[in-house]
């Protein structure tokens, strides 16, 4: 739903699939580009370890799997592809003429009970949650997607930016979440007025903070804390292993997420620009 054209590289260990790397295919001004679609923070590669593999052999297995996968991705002159947290095979990427940089997220391990997760948060975050729980009600209300779009647009505008996606694009993703029962739009209200919204998505093992927004007409920072705590508890109910806050390089957002007690995790962004046309475009449209 997030891109028009895509493919996947697959490698096997004997008869078993050992790795998969889905990738988008984008074409601009005659240049083929591999980059994350809008609202897709990171993509593969995914390694499927044999059952019972020794810990000492995991890195070698991962190395061989990723090395084979990257050979199966078409030779493309332009890359800007962020890959999932935890992948450390930097040498393979550099040997394939890719420049790695890093970004960050925060991962909450959900094996602890709720009281321990709450205790691991900053004191002011716990206080905000406690106060907000007396002031707001939270419900799953996908029909408020338009409000989330409006909140996002306003926030980006205040920072001098523009929103890089449309409400229609968001709705396509929401429809897919609903079809696959893999998402919820949590809305915090006070006196029937929307205070803040968090869009949560999940797969079999993990939950993700996909997107959130606060109503600029209200003092909703406490509601946002309560919403995130609600999504964390929902993730635990689903038996998820981790909650990914999909962190930000924005200082204010990073500080807010850090207060929830997660572990800082780095993920790699792979760069390449061997296209004269794309270099010229980047020079003109900086």
């Amino acid at each position: 739903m997030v891109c028009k054209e895509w493919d996947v590289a697959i490698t096997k260990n004997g008869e078993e699939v050992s790795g998969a790397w889905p990738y988008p295919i984008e074409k601009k001004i005659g240049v083929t580009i591999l980059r994350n679609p809008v609202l897709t923070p990171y993509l593969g590669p995914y390694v499927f370890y044999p059952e019972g593999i020794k810990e000492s052999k995991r890195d070698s297995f991962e190395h061989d799997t990723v090395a084979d996968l990257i050979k199966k991705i078409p030779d493309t002159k332009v890359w800007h592809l962020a890959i999932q947290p935890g992948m450390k095979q930097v040498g393979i990427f550099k040997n394939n003429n890719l420049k790695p940089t890093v970004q960050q997220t925060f991962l909450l391990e959900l094996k602890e009970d709720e009281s321990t997760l709450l205790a691991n948060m900053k004191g002011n975050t716990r206080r905000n949650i406690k106060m907000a729980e007396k002031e707001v009600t939270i419900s799953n209300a996908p029909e408020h997607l338009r409000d989330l779009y409006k909140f996002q647009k306003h926030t980006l505008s205040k920072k001098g930016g523009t929103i890089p996606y449309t409400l229609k694009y968001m709705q396509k993703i929401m429809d897919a979440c609903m079809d696959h029962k893999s998402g919820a739009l949590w809305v915090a209200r006070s006196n029937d007025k929307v205070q803040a919204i968090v869009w949560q998505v999940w797969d079999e093992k993990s939950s993700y903070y996909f997107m959130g927004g606060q109503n600029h007409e209200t003092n909703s920072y406490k509601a946002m804390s309560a919403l995130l705590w609600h999504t964390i508890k929902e993730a635990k109910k689903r038996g998820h292993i981790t909650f990914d806050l999909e962190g930000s390089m924005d200082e204010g957002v990073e500080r807010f997420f850090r207060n929830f007690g997660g572990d800082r995790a780095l993920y790699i962004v792979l760069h390449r620009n061997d296209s004269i046309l794309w270099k010229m475009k980047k020079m003109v449209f900086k």
Side-chain angles (χ1 to χ4, degrees), residues 86-255:
M87 179 56 59
K88 301 175 182 178
Q89 302 297 336
V90 179
I92 295 172
F93 305 134
K94 292 187 73 174
N95 291 339
N96 282 272
N97 194 30
L98 293 166
K99 179 183 177 182
T101 60
V102 295
Q103 296 206 46
Q104 64 183 359
T105 184
F106 291 91
L107 301 179
L108 274 169
E109 297 295 329
L110 299 178
K111 60 185 177 182
E112 306 289 355
D113 57 32
E114 288 185 9
S115 60
T116 303
L117 288 171
L118 199 58
N120 288 339
M121 297 180 191
K122 293 286 187 180
N124 63 328
T125 300
R126 292 197 302 272
R127 287 190 292 273
N128 287 338
I129 290 170
K130 188 174 181 179
M131 287 188 288
E133 287 178 337
K134 298 176 182 178
E135 300 171 3
V136 303
T137 58
I138 296 173
S139 62
N140 181 17
E143 65 272 16
H144 281 279
L145 189 64
R146 181 181 293 273
D147 287 323
L148 178 57
Y149 178 76
K150 182 174 67 175
F151 298 164
Q152 284 268 307
K153 190 173 182 179
H154 181 269
T155 299
L156 288 169
S157 176
K158 279 184 65 178
K159 294 180 179 180
T162 56
I163 195 163
Y165 43 85
T166 64
L167 177 60
K168 183 178 179 180
Y169 184 82
M170 290 172 65
Q171 188 64 58
K172 281 186 177 181
I173 300 175
M174 177 60 74
D175 291 344
C177 287
M178 297 299 100
D179 289 345
H180 292 87
K181 296 180 174 58
S182 60
L185 195 73
W186 299 110
V187 178
R189 295 181 182 86
S190 178
N191 298 321
D192 292 326
K193 191 175 185 66
V194 173
Q195 303 289 307
I197 301 174
V198 165
W199 188 349
Q200 177 188 15
V201 299
W202 56 81
D203 54 33
E204 290 182 359
K205 295 183 178 180
S206 299
S207 269
Y208 304 84
Y209 170 93
F210 186 56
M211 184 187 301
Q214 302 179 69
N215 188 345
H216 63 279
E217 297 176 355
T218 67
N219 187 11
S220 53
Y221 66 93
K222 290 183 293 186
M224 198 66 180
S225 296
L227 276 174
L228 266 177
W229 176 229
H230 182 85
T231 59
I232 292 166
K233 291 188 291 184
E234 287 293 316
K236 274 194 66 68
K237 288 179 186 177
R238 293 182 176 277
H240 293 156
I241 298 170
T242 58
F243 188 93
D244 189 338
L245 287 163
E246 291 192 7
S248 173
M249 303 301 279
D250 180 278
E251 184 178 0
V253 176
E254 187 249 5
R255 186 187 312 113

Side-chain angles (χ1 to χ4, degrees), residues 258-274:
R258 190 173 67 239
N259 288 345
F260 281 82
D263 295 322
R264 191 186 303 269
L266 302 181
Y267 61 94
I268 297 169
V269 184
L270 301 173
H271 304 268
R272 177 193 291 165
N273 188 357
D274 293 336

